[in-house]
Amino acid sequence: MVVSLLLLLLAQTTPVQPLPKGTGLPPPGTDEAAVMAPINAAFAGISARDQAAILAQLRPNGTATVLMEKPDGTRTVRNMPIAAYAEASAGTERYEERMTDPAIEIDGAMAMVWGPYTFSIDGTVRHCGFQHFDLVQEEGRWKIQNVTWSVRTTGCAG
């Protein structure tokens, strides 16, 4: 009887809450903040329409991948050299790219950042999705090796 009760108790599972997608922006002076520095600098370069400032954050042999998701659910995938990420800053509109609640993982001289983002033009959200950055540390400085992002035009919070 005691064994049966013990087996019954062991067979029950306790529900486990899912891990949070991100932990918020890291405080300055942390390893996580150092990893976010080139991403934030690239976003500032996008806002300033400063291609040189964006390129300064990128490794020249990196890649960029964009996954376009249409409202009907169809998708296209496009791969390009990472410099194309900086070339998109040309124009006269006011751009703003914002990533919220990034998840940051670091292992020695490599890091990964993943999180939701919104992209606004002249103050209006034009698309959203998730971004994933691969970074490497060279000579004490983090650089973006790869960036992948999804583009959705529906369901974006303004």
Side-chain angles (χ1 to χ4, degrees), residues 12-20:
Q12 295 178 351
T13 59
T14 304
V16 176
Q17 295 296 320
L19 293 173

Side-chain angles (χ1 to χ4, degrees), residues 30-47:
T30 64
D31 291 341
E32 290 82 3
V35 167
M36 285 300 297
I39 296 169
N40 292 333
F43 288 168
I46 289 168
S47 293

Side-chain angles (χ1 to χ4, degrees), residues 18-73:
L19 293 173
K21 290 212 183 247
T23 56
L25 294 176
T30 64
D31 291 341
E32 290 82 3
V35 167
M36 285 300 297
I39 296 169
N40 292 333
F43 288 168
I46 289 168
S47 293
R49 308 306 288 263
D50 185 344
Q51 190 174 23
I54 301 165
L55 287 169
Q57 308 311 314
L58 310 177
R59 293 194 76 239
N61 62 344
T63 58
T65 304
V66 60
L67 291 89
M68 302 293 289
E69 297 182 17
K70 295 181 182 174
D72 67 2

